[in-house]
Amino acid sequence: MLRRRSALALAGAFSLTLALGACGSDSLSNSSTSASAGGGATTSAASPTSQAVDPALAAKVPDKIKTAGKIIIGTDATYQPNEYLDNDGKTVIGMDVELFDAVAAKLGLKTEWAPTGFDQIILGVGSGKYDVGVSSFTINADRMKVATMVSYFKAGTQWVVAKGNPEKVDPDNACGKKVAAQKATVQSDVDYPKRNKACTDAGKPPIQLLIDADQGKVTAMVQNGKADAMMVDLPPAIAAVETTNGELELLGQQYDSAPYGYVLPKDQTAFGEAIVGALKALDADGTYKAILTKWKTEGGAINDFAVNPSVG
């Protein structure tokens, strides 16, 4: 269960100037609540735009969710700027949060955000603990074997190092280097094994992989010198540079760009089609672009929203 989770040359795709602190809790829909890890819930503040319910789309919502009037969302709230905890330590905010709140509003639903470990979300959706998983999940064939996925965004992997790259890390030859990544992500479970095999096959020292379930702690490893570099999706890579006041920098360019997807139970393709319809409506009225632009992630915008899209 994996997440997809160049420096100024990429400014056209994702701005380095993230409106992270400015976004705060004013970025969420007034129909949303966020559950803290401790189980508490807080009501989030009003969104800049309200969404009219689309009756045809709302009719495709599963009866259980329709009856409850809300959708429970599993998320790993450590992935700034996509999904993370606001300053109160309880409210989940971010690009993913605001966008899915708008989707839910189109379907006539309130949202309840439930922070949990990233590697527990797909399992939780499958067991019925969560109605949907929204946590920067890369869509891939393995995931679509056990879940229905709806594409809504696109991002690739980015390397991050300390300012000036003091350890002279080369992503294409990181043999012997200490590289950090979040647990159960594309970076830790797919990218690293391939790169490490290339090192050992060539008789070079293996890459020393440092893992943590919390992306914030992964970033801290690079900041405090415990790791020489980290691999992470581009949006949180840019956020890491911004929030550390330039102590870190992007190394090279993003690669292996792939779509993010909302995670639904395997048998809920009709619900997936309703979500696709909501995304198309938000794209048509400018809400989709406005939300991504607000969070400085507009470079990942797509317009081919789909249920279980074909991926490489």
Side-chain angles (χ1 to χ4, degrees), residues 31 33 60-75 100 103-104 107-116 120-135 137 146-150 261-275:
S31 65
T33 60
K60 296 181 180 180
V61 173
D63 289 340
K64 175 187 173 184
I65 299 174
K66 198 181 303 181
T67 299
K70 68 178 180 180
I71 184 165
I72 300 173
I73 306 152
T75 192
F100 196 77
V103 167
L107 303 178
L109 299 170
K110 295 182 179 181
T111 56
E112 182 176 305
W113 292 85
T116 189
Q120 298 300 307
I121 297 171
I122 292 180
L123 294 173
V125 172
S127 71
K129 183 176 182 179
Y130 311 118
D131 299 315
V132 175
V134 180
S135 203
F137 282 99
V146 298
T148 286
M149 301 192 76
V150 178
Y262 300 137
V263 176
L264 307 177
K266 182 66 175 174
D267 62 352
Q268 290 188 4
T269 54
F271 189 24
E273 292 294 350
I275 291 174

Side-chain angles (χ1 to χ4, degrees), residues 54-298:
D54 185 316
L57 298 177
K60 296 181 180 180
V61 173
D63 289 340
K64 175 187 173 184
I65 299 174
K66 198 181 303 181
T67 299
K70 68 178 180 180
I71 184 165
I72 300 173
I73 306 152
T75 192
D76 166 29
T78 71
Y79 218 59
Q80 190 173 358
N82 296 352
E83 49 270 330
Y84 64 106
L85 294 179
D86 202 356
N87 293 335
D88 62 7
K90 297 179 180 179
T91 307
V92 186
I93 63 174
M95 178 272 290
D96 268 348
V97 179
E98 188 165 351
L99 180 57
F100 196 77
D101 278 354
V103 167
K106 277 289 182 189
L107 303 178
L109 299 170
K110 295 182 179 181
T111 56
E112 182 176 305
W113 292 85
T116 189
F118 181 75
D119 58 351
Q120 298 300 307
I121 297 171
I122 292 180
L123 294 173
V125 172
S127 71
K129 183 176 182 179
Y130 311 118
D131 299 315
V132 175
V134 180
S135 203
S136 306
F137 282 99
T138 298
I139 298 177
N140 59 39
D142 286 341
R143 285 183 172 147
M144 287 189 287
K145 289 177 183 177
V146 298
T148 286
M149 301 192 76
V150 178
S151 57
Y152 67 94
F153 188 77
K154 197 170 188 178
T157 292
Q158 176 69 50
W159 283 60
V160 179
V161 294
K163 184 72 174 179
N165 192 13
E167 299 303 320
K168 307 303 178 187
V169 175
D170 176 357
D172 294 324
N173 182 18
C175 308
K177 299 296 185 182
K178 295 174 289 186
V179 179
Q182 188 181 34
K183 180 182 178 182
T185 59
V186 165
Q187 289 83 17
S188 65
D189 292 4
V190 177
D191 199 354
Y192 160 74
K194 290 190 297 186
R195 292 178 182 276
N196 194 52
K197 185 176 186 299
C199 290
T200 56
D201 285 353
K204 297 180 179 180
I207 298 171
Q208 301 176 53
L209 183 65
L210 304 178
I211 295 290
D212 199 285
D214 184 327
Q215 177 57 44
K217 293 179 180 178
V218 172
T219 300
M221 290 184 201
V222 185
Q223 192 177 8
N224 63 28
K226 183 177 180 180
D228 302 322
M230 71 175 178
M231 298 182 288
V232 66
D233 288 0
L234 182 59
I238 294 174
V241 173
E242 179 71 13
T243 57
T244 60
N245 298 315
E247 290 183 29
L248 306 181
E249 67 181 26
L250 307 183
L251 179 64
Q253 297 185 348
Q254 71 165 335
Y255 55 90
D256 291 345
S257 184
Y260 281 175
Y262 300 137
V263 176
L264 307 177
K266 182 66 175 174
D267 62 352
Q268 290 188 4
T269 54
F271 189 24
E273 292 294 350
I275 291 174
V276 167
L279 286 164
K280 288 180 177 179
L282 295 171
D283 190 29
D285 70 14
T287 301
Y288 175 77
K289 182 179 180 181
I291 291 172
L292 267 59
T293 299
K294 175 180 178 179
W295 291 94
K296 307 301 179 183
T297 57
E298 63 270 24

